[in-house]
């Protein structure tokens, strides 16, 4: 292997590294998560993330359900509703009625850090919804916390008018928001494209760089 070839190999490797670094530098900040209302069910003394949306869930008499506004990536790190969540305490002033069911609701509007710009979250509150036996969670919520706001895909956007605007938007790391929304109880169910380079692209470039480095190493070994 001639000295000129080794030199050309080094230059090629340097160029590939420059391309890889350029792609990474041009990539936007990774999204911090989605700003949305999450939906929860009470299982004994614990909150569990609901497996379906409030529009299809049908709670039983005596159930407790919660709604929490926050910024999170998915159900694994989503913030849970805060405060008391005991059915007897929530519904003690609402007598039982034949043909009706009572559902204890906890509505947590979240923290100032999760609030959209210019808005202040109301205080967390509880309510006892007394609705028909076949009512959904969304109908129970509407009976005590109107106005509700939904988007065209039936994603719950606002409870009691909060927030005034926005709906499940993807929040960037200190760089504003991207107007990506996802349906259902858990945002983030789409293709995951946030405008940055794909994992395959970066991995491919890295592989080429590694192969180039291996070629130069072999050339030096033969020369030695």
């Amino acid at each position: 292997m001639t000295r000129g070839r080794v030199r050309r190999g080094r230059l090629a490797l340097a160029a590939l590294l420059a391309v890889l670094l350029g792609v990474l530098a041009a990539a936007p900040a990774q999204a911090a998560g989605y700003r949305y209302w999450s939906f929860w069910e009470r299982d004994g003394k614990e909150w569990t993330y609901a497996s379906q949306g409030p529009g299809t869930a049908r709670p039983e008499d005596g159930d407790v359900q919660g709604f929490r506004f926050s910024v999170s990536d998915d159900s694994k790190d989503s913030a849970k509703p805060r405060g008391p969540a005991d059915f007897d305490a929530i519904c003690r002033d609402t007598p039982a009625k034949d043909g009706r069911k009572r559902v204890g609701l906890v509505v947590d509007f979240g923290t100032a850090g999760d609030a959209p710009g210019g808005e202040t979250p109301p205080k967390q509150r509880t309510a006892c919804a007394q609705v028909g036996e076949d009512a959904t969670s969304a109908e129970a919520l509407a009976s005590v916390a109107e106005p509700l706001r939904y988007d065209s895909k039936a994603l719950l956007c606002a409870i009691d008018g909060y927030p005034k605007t926005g709906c499940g938007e993807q929040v960037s790391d200190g760089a504003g928001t991207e107007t990506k929304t996802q349906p259902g109880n858990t945002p983030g169910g789409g293709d995951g494209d946030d405008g940055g380079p794909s994992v395959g692209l970066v991995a491919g470039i890295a592989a080429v760089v590694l192969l180039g480095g291996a070629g130069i190493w072999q050339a030096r070994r033969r020369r030695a």
Side-chain angles (χ1 to χ4, degrees), residues 61-141:
D61 180 72
D63 283 350
V64 176
Q65 298 184 322
F67 296 83
R68 172 67 190 266
F69 188 77
S70 66
V71 174
S72 63
D73 284 332
D74 53 39
S75 60
K76 294 179 181 178
D77 72 344
S78 188
K80 299 178 181 180
R82 300 167 294 174
D86 179 70
F87 174 80
D88 291 334
I90 295 173
C91 290
R92 63 187 172 190
D93 296 326
T94 306
K97 289 183 180 180
D98 291 338
R100 309 280 287 178
K101 64 182 177 184
R102 293 176 298 166
V103 182
L105 296 176
V106 178
V107 182
D108 188 340
F109 295 89
T111 66
D114 288 337
E119 295 201 50
T120 301
K123 292 182 179 180
Q124 176 268 351
R125 63 190 179 92
T126 61
C128 184
Q130 192 166 61
V131 290
E133 294 179 338
D134 197 42
T136 64
S137 301
E139 290 169 329
L141 180 64

Side-chain angles (χ1 to χ4, degrees), residues 4-38:
R5 238 181 209 182
V6 172
R7 185 171 179 277
R8 287 196 296 273
R10 288 177 179 172
L11 290 175
L13 176 60
L16 288 170
L17 285 172
V19 170
L20 176 61
L21 292 174
V23 169
L24 294 176
Q30 293 296 311
Y34 291 86
R35 181 185 287 124
Y36 73 109
W37 280 101
S38 57

